[in-house]
Amino acid sequence: MPDGSLLFGNRTFIIAEAGVNHNGNINIAKKLIDVAVEAGVDAVKFQTFSADNLVIKTAEKAEYQMQTTEAAETQYEMLKRLELSYQEHIELYNYCLQKGIMFLSTPFDFESVDLLEKLGIKMYKVSSGDLTNMPLLRYIAKKNKPIILSTGMANLGEIEEAIDWIEQEGNNRIILLHCTTSYPTAYEDVNLRVITTLQRAFKLPVGYSDHTVGTEVPIAAAAMGACVIEKHFTLDKSMNGPDHKASLDPQELKYMILSIRNIEKAQGTGIKRLSDIEIKNKKIVRKSIVARKEINCGQVLSEDVLDIKRPGNGIAPKFFNKMIGMRSNKRIEKDSLIQWKDVSY
């Protein structure tokens, strides 16, 4: 099964999606980085855009944005106040370096890609909304860096097309993220089995970008083999802004990370064998053939004088039928283990 080991090693690569939950405030953005570091994620991700390049001024907001921001505010006005300047990007990038966490950001236009290139970003994350944006995908692909591509709202044909555009630029370092573009996403709309579908269809590493409430679904995705998990987080779900309510708070983020890391430990090698930790329990838990009642020397063994009980350091129960008809070589006390030296034909 394809995985992201060549890019991320054997661990699930966990991205804490700060997005625009900084509310346009650099100090809140730094606090979000602090929370991500404390939780133990691999990368913290923001969004890089210019409202003027992203949306026309009369564009309506999505329904969830209407519910979480001022209704009279246009999408353009909302995005304008959530922009981060180039200097703020530099400050956040350097702060991530100082804290030992990878800085990531999703670019939404050519100028944003150029900004991130100046920073020296290690890989690109492309949003579901730009999966069909051929010019932007080609532009990013030419940077010859790994691309994490969200696939919300897309069918297999559109995903294949996007992959082709990237690969035509000589870039084959692609990680697909299954995603449902709904905020928050209802459980019945998640369709986690798509992770397996994408793995089989494209033979690429596949992760999962989650928009459900809570931590169950991303944890389950990790258990299904998602090599990347992306999840929105916030300092406080009650803050004003489009994405806070569908995000994890700091404690939930910590719990999700711990759960995923525990699942990684539990997945193991897939080889069914006697593990080292089981050896000491094997003789205690398994059973042996014992004397149901006292057996005299020379007595022929029958079912009514034999029983099966713990511990497991005598003759294994699979030889029960073989022992029928054998004779005892000695007097065997009731409830004692029978050894091969004690019997013969």
Side-chain angles (χ1 to χ4, degrees):
M1 182 175 291
D3 58 42
S5 59
L6 293 178
L7 292 170
F8 306 123
N10 294 321
R11 296 196 340 154
T12 307
F13 190 79
I14 302 176
I15 302 171
E17 169 71 87
V20 294
N21 281 346
H22 50 73
N23 288 358
N25 185 312
I26 189 72
N27 293 320
I28 294 176
K30 288 182 176 180
K31 288 179 182 177
L32 286 165
I33 293 170
D34 291 338
V35 166
V37 170
E38 186 178 352
V41 304
D42 297 292
V44 59
K45 191 180 80 66
F46 295 90
Q47 295 178 7
T48 303
F49 59 87
S50 161
D52 290 306
N53 294 336
L54 179 56
V55 64
I56 64 173
K57 293 184 178 179
T58 57
E60 296 180 357
K61 289 190 289 190
E63 183 177 346
Y64 78 94
Q65 293 172 336
M66 292 288 290
Q67 295 171 353
T68 54
T69 60
E70 291 293 330
E73 183 184 52
T74 65
Q75 184 179 173
Y76 173 84
E77 291 168 338
M78 177 189 74
L79 292 171
K80 195 66 181 174
R81 64 179 173 80
L82 294 174
E83 288 178 350
L84 292 172
S85 69
Y86 177 51
Q87 288 304 315
E88 287 172 326
H89 275 82
I90 293 174
E91 193 170 343
L92 292 178
Y93 184 85
N94 289 334
Y95 193 72
C96 285
L97 286 178
Q98 176 188 331
K99 293 291 182 174
I101 191 171
M102 182 184 291
F103 173 93
L104 289 177
S105 189
T106 297
F108 288 85
D109 53 70
F110 298 106
E111 290 178 12
S112 297
V113 175
D114 294 340
L115 185 157
L116 295 176
E117 274 295 298
K118 288 180 183 177
L119 288 181
I121 199 165
K122 304 297 182 187
M123 66 179 69
Y124 283 94
K125 164 66 199 305
V126 178
S127 75
S128 295
D130 281 315
L131 180 128
T132 59
N133 188 344
M134 183 266 288
L136 184 63
L137 288 180
R138 286 188 180 277
Y139 192 72
I140 293 172
K142 289 176 182 177
K143 308 304 178 185
N144 199 31
K145 293 176 180 176
I147 297 173
I148 301 174
L149 180 62
S150 278
T151 61
M153 304 175 290
N155 57 44
L156 290 181
E158 290 172 324
I159 297 169
E160 183 177 22
E161 201 170 36
I163 293 170
D164 287 343
W165 294 331
I166 294 169
E167 291 182 341
Q168 285 166 13
E169 300 298 336
N171 190 337
N172 61 2
R173 291 188 290 174
I174 305 167
I175 305 96
L176 302 176
L177 295 192
H178 171 46
C179 174
T180 303
T181 307
S182 176
Y183 307 88
T185 302
Y187 293 129
E188 57 268 27
D189 293 325
V190 170
N191 200 5
L192 275 183
R193 291 194 176 109
V194 170
I195 293 172
T196 304
T197 300
L198 294 177
Q199 289 170 336
R200 291 173 177 170
F202 302 111
K203 305 298 186 291
L204 289 172
V206 178
Y208 174 64
S209 178
D210 184 61
H211 298 130
T212 64
V213 174
T215 60
E216 299 98 323
V217 176
I219 293 169
M224 290 180 64
C227 65
V228 175
I229 295 294
E230 179 184 76
K231 181 74 174 178
H232 280 266
F233 77 110
T234 181
L235 300 180
D236 187 340
K237 294 183 185 183
S238 66
M239 292 174 69
N240 291 324
D243 296 332
H244 293 286
K245 286 182 173 58
S247 302
L248 298 182
D249 65 29
Q251 289 305 312
E252 289 173 322
L253 181 64
K254 284 183 182 179
Y255 175 78
M256 186 190 79
I257 304 302
L258 176 63
S259 299
I260 291 173
R261 296 305 178 213
N262 286 341
I263 284 171
E264 288 171 344
K265 295 174 187 175
Q267 284 177 325
T269 63
I271 300 171
K272 183 58 180 172
R273 60 176 178 80
L274 175 67
S275 67
D276 294 340
I277 198 67
E278 291 177 310
I279 291 174
K280 63 182 180 180
N281 293 325
K282 182 179 178 181
K283 290 182 179 179
I284 296 172
V285 175
R286 285 194 173 177
K287 296 177 180 178
S288 304
I289 299 173
V290 303
R292 183 190 298 271
K293 57 182 72 173
E294 183 181 298
I295 301 172
N296 295 320
C297 182
Q299 182 175 341
V300 176
L301 303 183
S302 59
E303 289 189 24
D304 65 338
V305 299
L306 300 178
D307 206 348
I308 298 172
K309 294 184 180 181
R310 289 177 177 177
N313 53 343
I315 298 174
K318 67 180 179 180
F319 296 110
F320 188 89
N321 290 340
K322 183 177 181 178
M323 294 193 71
I324 302 299
M326 298 182 79
R327 292 181 182 272
S328 63
N329 296 329
K330 55 178 281 190
R331 178 178 170 276
I332 304 173
E333 294 183 1
K334 176 184 178 181
D335 222 27
S336 60
L337 295 174
I338 301 175
Q339 306 294 342
W340 285 116
K341 66 182 179 178
D342 301 334
V343 295
S344 62
Y345 283 109

